[in-house]
Amino acid sequence: MKLTISPQKPDAVQTDMLVVPVFEDTPDFERAIEWLRDPLKKEARKLAEHIAFKARHKKTLSFFTHHKIPPYLVLFVGIGKKEVEETLFTNRLRELGAITIRASRSYRVERAGLVIADSIFAKLNPDAVGKALVEGIYMGSYAFSKHKKQIKKPELQELIIFTKQPIQKGINIGKRISEGVNLARDLVNEPAQFMKPKDMVAAAQKIAQNSSKLIAITVMDREELKRQNFGGLAAVSQGAREEPYFIHLHYKPKDAAAPSAARKIAIVGKGITFDSGGLSLKPAEFMMDMKIDMAGAASVLGFFSTLPFLKPIWEIHGLIPTCENLPSDTAIKPGDIIKIKNGRTVEVLNTDAEGRLVLADAFSYATELKVDAIIDLATLTGACVAALGKDIAGILGNDRELLEAVIDAAKKAGEKVWQMPLEESYKKYLKSDVADLRNIGKVRQGDTILAALFLKEFVGKTPWLHLDIAGPAWTDKPLYAYNPRGASGFGARTLVEYISS
Ligand code: BES
Ligand code: ZN
Ligand code: ZN
């Protein structure tokens, strides 16, 4: 699909369909039909009155023009009230972009137009408008269909955004970001048979190769992991024939004399390419979706793919422990005691609580890099889904400033997060009689908090933030028009907003 910008009048260009956003308050419909000429203008007004079109958010009005102007259909889309919070309005523009794509598909349109009048810019600057629209357009275009028989359908060839404002820069940024999200979705949607640890490595290598040398990559295999005492990753992967890997991506701003404001951070993603539970085997219905257990890693990769374009002034390490969690005669057994990279021992009482073991190694490694902050994304606990539902990620951490910054970034990205308490008094439930820690609580309550408390033991004094994305990593019932069913790429855009802040 070609995306173009045109300063012309919407009916002066050949299109099959025009999408026109309309505000709900102050009768905005007259403004929205300004460019139409009589008798079409009159007819549109009459139709809107007839069906009492209020332009409430996401309500649409289809107006067929019977060949009096080039587009045969004008779709008016309600975008709600003008006086809403900036982040909410931004998200409505993303949705508008996605609705435009969907309508183009259902009407089998080849050339579509999206009319962005000046009134839209009263709330947001041109960069932000362009970025939001395009994020919605590309995220909303996403489909994972490579394993389906290809049926030739007429595709949208061109989308023209009608505006006189300079939105090109925002468009370029939004395009890269949504491509990053869609990359993460592709990795997660791919079944575990095709997305093994080595495929994660290949995906990471590709990102480094396409980075104009801005991203370096180091990959450690099983032998190297043992040599460097990655006891968590070695233990979780020992039941599987597939080789485990630790992927280290390193983005460094080109300008070596980076300003003093620049930070050095590590982003860690859980990369279990399939989580059967190991010998503490999951019941079949809970195992069905477990190809998604590398969604944290996928979002880190999606995020990294945007860095060579966004060129932040921060130094960013991307750390991905990746392996399969499978039962076999070589698998780790409940009761085994393992040693994490930083020397602390863990009594593994449930092999299904494997994410925290591989993350613990990654955190130990991150602290050796002396980073200013660690952020991890992980499909870590079913309890988080029980507590917050499918659309909201749990957020926990040991540093108020970092928490506030990431919560703010998530809001800007339109990704829902909710903070949970890192309740220190629960630490007693992680005490082991035979090792430094046990990997599950003595009580099966507050699992999300216990998992985070476990992780906290491996970050030392480094400010750290944990996103439990077990719920929102996968979409069953789409929250927004730009969320297709399946993998969401959740987290990648929050990270982008965070490093752009
Ligand atoms: N990968 C799962 C968590 C998960 C559940 C992700 C649902 C996505 C959707 C994780 O490794 C796991 O199995 N956690 C256990 C922990 C328990 C044994 C303490 C869980 O949540 O049941
Ligand atoms: Zn598990
Ligand atoms: Zn898992």
Side-chain angles (χ1 to χ4, degrees):
M1 180 192 72
K2 208 168 117 194
L3 189 66
T4 42
I5 306 171
S6 168
Q8 282 179 282
K9 269 188 72 187
D11 58 351
V13 180
Q14 177 67 45
T15 58
D16 307 310
M17 176 189 80
L18 281 176
V19 172
V20 182
V22 190
F23 281 111
E24 179 182 341
D25 32 15
T26 56
D28 189 40
F29 197 71
E30 271 308 309
R31 198 265 326 139
I33 57 173
E34 230 167 37
W35 54 277
L36 276 173
R37 277 165 297 195
D38 278 334
L40 280 179
K41 190 181 212 157
K42 256 193 209 138
E43 286 169 22
R45 187 184 294 133
K46 212 163 134 191
L47 177 65
E49 277 166 14
H50 182 73
I51 69 155
F53 182 63
K54 297 274 190 316
R56 293 215 170 96
H57 181 224
K58 277 165 111 167
K59 289 276 184 275
T60 57
L61 170 66
S62 307
F63 177 60
F64 292 91
T65 62
H66 304 288
H67 303 293
K68 288 177 193 137
I69 52 173
Y72 68 83
L73 166 66
V74 179
L75 185 71
F76 295 98
V77 179
I79 51 170
K81 295 205 162 70
K82 222 180 222 164
E83 293 318 313
V84 292
E85 233 187 300
E86 203 174 296
T87 52
L88 181 61
F89 185 67
T90 306
N91 209 47
R92 288 187 173 170
L93 290 188
R94 286 188 196 106
E95 291 208 271
L96 175 66
I99 289 168
T100 303
I101 294 296
R102 291 224 184 145
S104 307
R105 282 197 181 144
S106 49
Y107 285 104
R108 306 231 161 164
V109 160
E110 280 186 19
R111 289 183 96 203
L114 174 57
V115 184
I116 302 301
D118 282 347
S119 53
I120 298 279
F121 298 89
K123 292 219 53 105
L124 287 180
N125 64 43
D127 286 353
V129 171
K131 172 171 171 274
L133 286 175
V134 164
E135 282 179 355
I137 287 165
Y138 285 107
M139 288 196 292
S141 306
Y142 179 85
F144 185 71
S145 48
K146 65 184 273 204
H147 298 293
K148 280 191 167 193
K149 191 168 99 193
Q150 294 297 326
I151 309 160
K152 269 255 167 289
K153 270 195 215 149
E155 273 284 315
L156 180 61
Q157 302 291 330
E158 184 175 8
L159 175 59
I160 306 167
I161 301 182
F162 290 97
T163 181
K164 291 193 180 64
Q165 304 283 340
I167 61 169
Q168 188 64 52
K169 189 174 152 221
I171 285 187
N172 296 346
I173 293 175
K175 183 160 187 278
R176 295 303 175 113
I177 296 173
S178 37
E179 280 168 356
V181 172
N182 290 346
L183 165 69
R185 289 171 174 178
D186 271 345
L187 298 175
V188 177
N189 277 325
E190 197 65 74
Q193 83 204 99
F194 302 126
M195 190 47 59
K196 301 202 164 177
K198 58 173 177 267
D199 302 300
M200 296 293 288
V201 170
Q205 275 163 341
K206 204 165 149 194
I207 290 167
Q209 269 156 21
N210 295 335
S211 74
S212 326
K213 299 215 165 109
L214 285 171
I215 299 174
I217 182 168
T218 324
V219 179
M220 293 172 228
D221 60 11
R222 199 183 309 246
E223 205 179 308
E224 184 63 18
L225 291 172
K226 283 200 180 130
R227 224 177 49 77
Q228 293 204 35
N229 306 316
F230 282 77
L233 186 50
V236 174
S237 62
Q238 76 187 41
R241 209 168 305 205
E242 286 296 326
E243 188 96 356
Y245 295 100
F246 187 79
I247 305 170
H248 178 181
L249 290 164
H250 183 192
Y251 164 84
K252 225 174 161 173
K254 245 214 174 88
D255 187 5
S260 58
R263 287 159 61 81
K264 180 167 149 187
I265 60 167
I267 312 282
V268 184
K270 173 175 173 183
I272 303 295
T273 58
F274 189 74
D275 182 12
S276 71
L279 284 174
S280 312
L281 198 65
K282 285 181 185 293
E285 63 274 27
F286 292 137
M287 209 190 290
M288 238 157 30
D289 295 333
M290 279 306 127
K291 69 173 183 184
I292 74 161
D293 216 17
M294 37 58 78
S299 290
V300 173
L301 291 178
F303 164 70
F304 258 78
S305 74
T306 68
L307 296 182
F309 180 79
L310 298 177
K311 297 192 175 60
I313 54 165
W314 295 8
E315 185 177 340
I316 308 173
H317 294 273
L319 308 178
I320 297 174
T322 179
C323 71
E324 297 181 327
N325 185 21
L326 294 176
S328 75
D329 62 342
T330 61
I332 180 165
K333 302 171 190 74
D336 283 1
I337 297 173
I338 64 167
K339 196 183 265 179
I340 302 297
K341 188 168 169 46
N342 70 348
R344 308 207 47 195
T345 56
V346 179
E347 183 186 9
V348 179
L349 289 159
N350 189 319
T351 63
D352 197 12
E354 84 296 341
R356 59 198 79 182
L357 304 176
V358 302
L359 291 175
D361 274 341
F363 289 2
S364 311
Y365 183 86
T367 56
E368 287 172 20
L369 295 171
K370 303 229 179 314
V371 291
D372 302 318
I374 300 174
I375 298 178
D376 80 87
L377 288 84
T379 45
L380 207 63
T381 62
C384 198
V385 193
L388 300 177
K390 284 288 298 162
D391 294 331
I392 308 172
I395 190 165
L396 302 99
N398 63 0
D399 186 87
R400 176 120 312 273
E401 220 175 290
L402 183 60
L403 278 163
E404 276 169 12
V406 175
I407 290 170
D408 190 54
K411 202 168 172 194
K412 285 188 188 143
E415 297 190 311
K416 291 182 189 283
V417 301
W418 194 256
Q419 193 186 341
M420 294 199 200
L422 202 52
E423 178 55 47
E424 289 289 332
S425 67
Y426 289 176
K427 238 174 85 177
K428 56 180 176 278
Y429 300 124
L430 291 174
K431 276 211 175 115
S432 163
D433 293 332
V434 291
D436 297 333
L437 281 168
R438 34 191 287 149
N439 79 327
I440 52 161
K442 281 186 189 126
V443 292
R444 283 299 297 274
Q445 297 161 348
D447 266 354
T448 307
I449 296 171
L450 290 184
L453 282 170
F454 181 95
L455 293 178
K456 182 173 175 277
E457 293 299 303
F458 298 90
V459 297
K461 287 201 165 44
T462 312
W464 152 76
L465 182 133
H466 163 61
L467 276 164
D468 192 329
I469 59 168
W474 187 262
T475 308
D476 294 319
K477 296 193 177 68
L479 173 64
Y480 298 126
Y482 55 81
N483 291 135
R485 275 203 303 281
S488 64
F490 188 99
R493 283 186 310 112
T494 292
L495 293 174
V496 167
E497 293 294 339
Y498 174 62
I499 56 139
S500 314
S501 62

